[in-house]
Amino acid sequence: MPKTILTNVRTFAVGVDLTSHSNKVELSAEHEDKDATNYGSQGWKEILGGLGSAEIAAEGQWEAGDPTKVDDASWSQLGGVGPWSISANNTAAVGELAYFTSALRSDYKLGEAVGEVAPWTGTAKSSWPLVRGQFAHPPGTARTATGTGTGLNLGAVPAGKRLYAALHVLSASGTTPSITARVESSVDNLFGAPTTRLTFNAATAAGGQILRTAGTAITDPWWRVAWTISGTTPSFLFVASLGIQ
């Protein structure tokens, strides 16, 4: 990705798309630096990496009145720990760069002086590592039947690393709609005999989930999201992110 002007940063928080309600998103990550200097350090400090953390700080225009608005979501879905996925100034199409984590919405502020566009600001702090991965399912494609997504060549998972997966169900409609998404891996892009590595809980309404593998090595380099949909005239909009950390 070349140098770019920020015009299309996509922000998905649990089960809401904040893109049209935000005009600033900042993502930061750090590790504590721990001083391990001793008499054998030859007069130089020795620093060890301590605990890591990530933070998402966002702001935009306040709206309320239905579950897709920032205020409604802040009082329901964003009140606890859940997945956040941030794009790198792209459309969140399959294969595009995604940063995601499990985070706690730690503060929320609204209101301004008379005559100003009503703003909101909020911060989410990580409870899992920040993962640099790719979008595995786009936000604007409605799914009405069981299916599979496009394969991504994310590479094998080394021992001690994990495959992380975030799911944001943005909308659900129909009579008793239900979607159960899963993450599959394969030895190649044909997915002739895929292996299910993670399975999300069945979702019947907007919301978010995040999962990770156990930390054992996985040699398959190809990954995709698949889903099973049931109900009468069901339809779902959802976003998925995958990455190895």
Side-chain angles (χ1 to χ4, degrees), residues 18 32 39 68 73 82 130-131 152 183 191 214 234:
L18 294 178
E32 296 177 346
Y39 287 122
T68 67
L130 177 67
V131 180
L152 299 173
V183 178
F191 286 86

Side-chain angles (χ1 to χ4, degrees), residues 34-231:
K34 297 297 185 180
D35 193 335
T37 309
N38 54 73
Y39 287 122
S41 301
Q42 300 181 2
W44 288 85
K45 282 189 173 183
E46 291 186 24
I47 303 297
L48 298 178
L51 297 177
S53 63
E55 182 176 292
I56 302 164
E59 59 186 63
Q61 298 89 18
W62 178 89
E63 288 184 281
D66 69 63
T68 67
K69 306 301 185 184
V70 64
D71 195 68
D72 297 70
S74 292
W75 289 100
S76 55
Q77 297 183 48
L78 307 186
V81 176
W84 290 64
S85 295
I86 312 296
S87 80
N89 201 39
N90 56 46
T91 61
V94 173
E96 291 187 328
L97 186 60
Y99 299 91
F100 64 98
T101 187
S102 178
L104 170 70
R105 199 283 313 275
S106 59
D107 64 71
Y108 175 61
K109 178 182 176 181
L110 58 94
E112 243 299 354
V114 61
E116 300 295 331
V117 175
W120 67 271
T121 62
T123 304
K125 297 186 177 181
S126 65
S127 62
W128 276 15
L130 177 67
V131 180
R132 184 181 187 270
Q134 297 178 26
F135 286 102
H137 191 275
T141 301
R143 300 297 184 180
T144 60
T146 296
T148 58
T150 303
L152 299 173
N153 188 2
L154 299 176
V157 180
K161 299 290 186 179
R162 301 169 186 258
L163 186 283
Y164 288 78
L167 174 69
H168 307 271
V169 177
L170 305 177
S171 68
S173 63
T175 302
T176 63
S178 178
I179 181 170
T180 302
R182 63 188 183 276
V183 178
E184 298 178 339
S185 69
S186 174
V187 297
D188 55 34
N189 62 344
L190 299 179
F191 286 86
T195 300
T196 297
R197 301 295 181 177
L198 296 169
T199 302
F200 295 96
N201 292 331
T204 59
Q209 302 175 53
I210 188 166
L211 299 173
R212 57 188 174 188
T213 57
T216 55
I218 299 173
T219 57
D220 290 350
W222 284 87
W223 300 83
R224 72 181 181 185
V225 173
W227 55 90
T228 301
I229 290 178
S230 63

